[in-house]
Amino acid sequence: MSGKPRLTYLNGRGRMEPVRWLLAAAGVEFEEVFLQTKEQYDKLIKDGVLLFQQVPLVEIDGMKMVQTRAILSYIAGKYNLYGKDLKERALIDMYVEGISDLMQMILMLPFSPPDAKEKNLDSLKEKATNRYFPVFEKVLKQHGQDFLVGNKFSWADVQLIEAILAVEEKIPAVLSGFPQLQAFKTKMSNMPTIKKFLQPGSPRKPPPDDHYVETVLKVFKR
Amino acid sequence: MSRKPKLYYFNGRGKMESIRWLLAAAGVEFEEEFLETREQYEKLLQGGSLLFQQVPMVEIDGMKMVQTRAILSYIAGKYNLYGKDLKERALIDMYVGGTDDLMGFIMMFPFLSAEDKEKQRAVIVQKATSRYFPAYEKVLKDHGQDFLVGNNFSWADVHLLEAILMVEEKKSDVLSGFPQLQAFKARISSIPTIKKFLEPGSQRKPVPDDKYVETVRRVLRMYYDVKAN
């Protein structure tokens, strides 16, 4: 039996992608099981492995973990990416939750009805440039350190680089006007574990396409 | 200067209610500032108090904390309601994630049209009785202990009780068929700090009404239609 964490999800980003990022950033190898049919999913439910009948599911350290946030917190804690004390953890949590709200908008984009896609994209651009990016630009400018919290690489940094790249895929020039974030993006991308994750052949998943959307609708159809 | 945590939110449940519950359960007194006008909200924004321009915001231990989950995690950690190690914390996080999703269905309820409200009530009950309650019923049955995690009172217990009571407000007999949860509800409700919170005159907020919805819409200029899940 492998000691590696095992991820069960669709073969695409969705809610599992931040988990892939965090494990990769921590230098942890993992296995993946991809849901491709409704039958596979129904079997998981029938077998009682999904606490709330939902994926993501991550089997790690003898636990069948569900709930993305719980999974990410556990990984962050286990691999020392969660700050050195309660207050640093609080900062990391605040930053991660904010970024997560932004990522939620990206998550929903491929599922927007065609007549809402343009509006949702505009909304994403507006929120990224007016609400979220300015916060992290300011944090980095104020302390002048390489990392968001405690002068140390943490879950918050991983979540932010993931979000920056995801938004850039939709809005390529989105970082113009954010010099700190541009420098941050470069620095994080060059960290060995992240650099490796950004190379072809890594477990990183491509942007969701129509086939992915189709699979989601098919597998989770009730 | 008061050292009590200070909560900034509307005078109603919304996303702040879980925080009120947890502070109360921990026996921590807190102050509240209620947003009633757009001007108050804009003042908070201009003052730079709201990291992502949103409430809830809680001033605690010299921090202006935002993001409900971050605030709750901090309180849980500070007051020893977060388990004894990483694995117990993982269980608590999982359970809280579930009750959070369940309460999410209820949170949007007051903002729905009358027609959507009826549909949503059915969704809430269906999700509660077929997805969430069975999970917690089984956890309690399997270990036979009083509390969800580690035989110790934790954030998970507070959050589950809050969720149970909220669903019961939508369907009063929703716990029939869940004997473990019925016993759990009675047990946790009688914990002194929680019992106090459940009494009239506490800082617990009532079921949101039209006035609450009006206030939120006015302060946040949130005039769009809220759709059910």
Side-chain angles (χ1 to χ4, degrees), chain A residues 105 118-128:
Chain A
M105 297 177 79
E118 180 90 31
K119 186 174 79 134
N120 289 340
L121 196 56
D122 284 343
S123 192
L124 172 66
K125 183 175 184 190
E126 198 269 323
K127 286 285 188 281

Side-chain angles (χ1 to χ4, degrees), chain A residues 70-222:
Chain A
I71 294 164
L72 290 166
S73 289
Y74 180 73
I75 295 166
K78 181 176 178 176
Y79 295 102
N80 292 310
L81 294 168
Y82 220 166
K84 71 180 198 297
D85 56 28
L86 258 191
K87 280 202 168 177
E88 285 194 353
R89 211 168 84 194
L91 275 177
I92 291 167
D93 278 341
M94 279 197 277
Y95 297 162
V96 157
E97 288 296 301
I99 298 164
S100 182
D101 285 347
L102 179 61
M103 294 291 281
Q104 179 72 11
M105 297 177 79
I106 298 172
L107 198 89
M108 292 287 113
L109 270 180
F111 299 93
S112 316
D115 58 352
K117 272 200 158 83
E118 180 90 31
K119 186 174 79 134
N120 289 340
L121 196 56
D122 284 343
S123 192
L124 172 66
K125 183 175 184 190
E126 198 269 323
K127 286 285 188 281
T129 53
N130 292 336
R131 178 171 287 188
Y132 295 104
F133 287 173
V135 169
F136 302 107
E137 181 78 7
K138 183 177 181 206
V139 166
L140 291 167
K141 185 156 200 229
Q142 283 191 331
H143 61 42
Q145 293 163 2
D146 285 355
F147 306 107
L148 284 169
V149 178
N151 209 10
K152 194 163 178 275
F153 184 55
S154 78
W155 174 19
D157 302 302
V158 182
Q159 195 67 83
L160 181 56
I161 178 74
E162 180 190 1
I164 286 172
L165 296 179
V167 177
E168 275 188 329
E169 280 169 353
K170 297 281 168 223
I171 306 156
V174 76
L175 283 197
S176 66
F178 297 106
Q180 298 284 335
L181 291 182
Q182 288 171 39
F184 175 85
K185 175 190 163 188
T186 305
K187 270 180 229 146
M188 291 305 120
S189 304
N190 282 318
M191 292 190 67
T193 49
I194 296 190
K195 191 171 185 184
K196 190 169 170 213
F197 188 64
L198 291 173
Q199 276 158 2
S202 84
R204 187 184 185 211
K205 301 295 173 276
D209 57 11
D210 289 338
H211 173 69
Y212 172 74
V213 172
E214 243 175 72
T215 311
V216 172
L217 295 175
K218 181 178 72 178
V219 169
F220 297 124
K221 185 165 160 221
R222 291 265 132 240

Side-chain angles (χ1 to χ4, degrees), chain B:
Chain B
M1 187 193 87
S2 163
R3 302 296 298 272
K4 292 181 193 169
K6 189 164 170 184
L7 280 46
Y8 293 77
Y9 200 67
F10 312 102
N11 187 358
R13 289 184 182 177
K15 288 188 189 284
M16 189 62 98
E17 193 71 354
S18 295
I19 293 168
R20 298 181 183 108
W21 267 90
L22 191 56
L23 285 169
V28 178
E29 282 183 29
F30 54 92
E31 295 175 354
E32 302 198 70
E33 185 162 311
F34 298 125
L35 295 182
E36 258 130 40
T37 67
R38 176 77 188 172
E39 289 67 39
Q40 269 175 290
Y41 175 57
E42 284 182 356
K43 187 153 177 265
L44 275 179
L45 281 176
Q46 273 142 33
S49 300
L50 306 179
L51 187 65
F52 301 115
Q53 302 153 11
Q54 298 163 316
V55 285
M57 191 269 279
V58 174
E59 284 172 352
I60 184 168
D61 296 340
M63 299 181 286
K64 286 179 166 46
M65 286 199 73
V66 297
Q67 291 291 337
T68 312
R69 193 64 80 78
I71 297 165
L72 288 166
S73 290
Y74 180 75
I75 295 166
K78 181 174 177 179
Y79 295 102
N80 294 310
L81 294 168
Y82 219 165
K84 70 177 198 297
D85 57 28
L86 258 191
K87 280 201 169 179
E88 285 193 357
R89 210 168 83 194
L91 277 177
I92 290 167
D93 280 339
M94 276 197 280
Y95 297 161
V96 160
T99 38
D100 203 43
D101 286 347
L102 177 57
M103 289 201 273
F105 291 106
I106 301 174
M107 192 158 323
M108 63 165 66
F109 189 85
F111 294 87
L112 299 173
S113 68
E115 188 194 330
D116 281 353
K117 271 185 171 124
E118 280 324 293
K119 287 194 208 143
Q120 189 72 352
R121 189 187 304 267
V123 168
I124 290 164
V125 172
Q126 193 262 340
K127 289 275 192 256
T129 54
S130 65
R131 175 172 290 187
Y132 296 104
F133 288 173
Y136 301 106
E137 180 80 6
K138 181 171 195 280
V139 167
L140 292 167
K141 185 158 201 233
D142 282 353
H143 63 42
Q145 291 164 2
D146 284 356
F147 306 107
L148 284 169
V149 179
N151 210 10
N152 233 316
F153 183 51
S154 79
W155 173 21
D157 301 303
V158 182
H159 216 244
L160 177 56
L161 177 62
E162 182 188 0
I164 285 171
L165 295 182
M166 282 181 84
V167 179
E168 277 186 330
E169 281 166 351
K170 296 285 172 255
K171 186 170 193 282
S172 57
D173 62 350
V174 75
L175 280 195
S176 68
F178 298 104
Q180 297 285 334
L181 292 181
Q182 288 173 38
F184 174 86
K185 174 190 163 191
R187 267 195 316 272
I188 306 301
S189 301
S190 60
I191 289 175
T193 49
I194 298 205
K195 187 164 187 212
K196 190 168 166 211
F197 188 63
L198 291 173
E199 277 160 11
S202 82
Q203 284 160 297
R204 186 182 183 212
K205 301 296 173 275
V207 180
D209 57 12
D210 288 339
K211 178 162 180 278
Y212 170 75
V213 171
E214 232 178 82
T215 306
V216 174
R217 285 196 186 283
R218 182 179 68 238
V219 172
L220 295 184
R221 291 199 179 140
M222 195 180 97
Y223 295 113
Y224 54 82
D225 287 334
V226 175
K227 289 282 162 213
N229 293 102

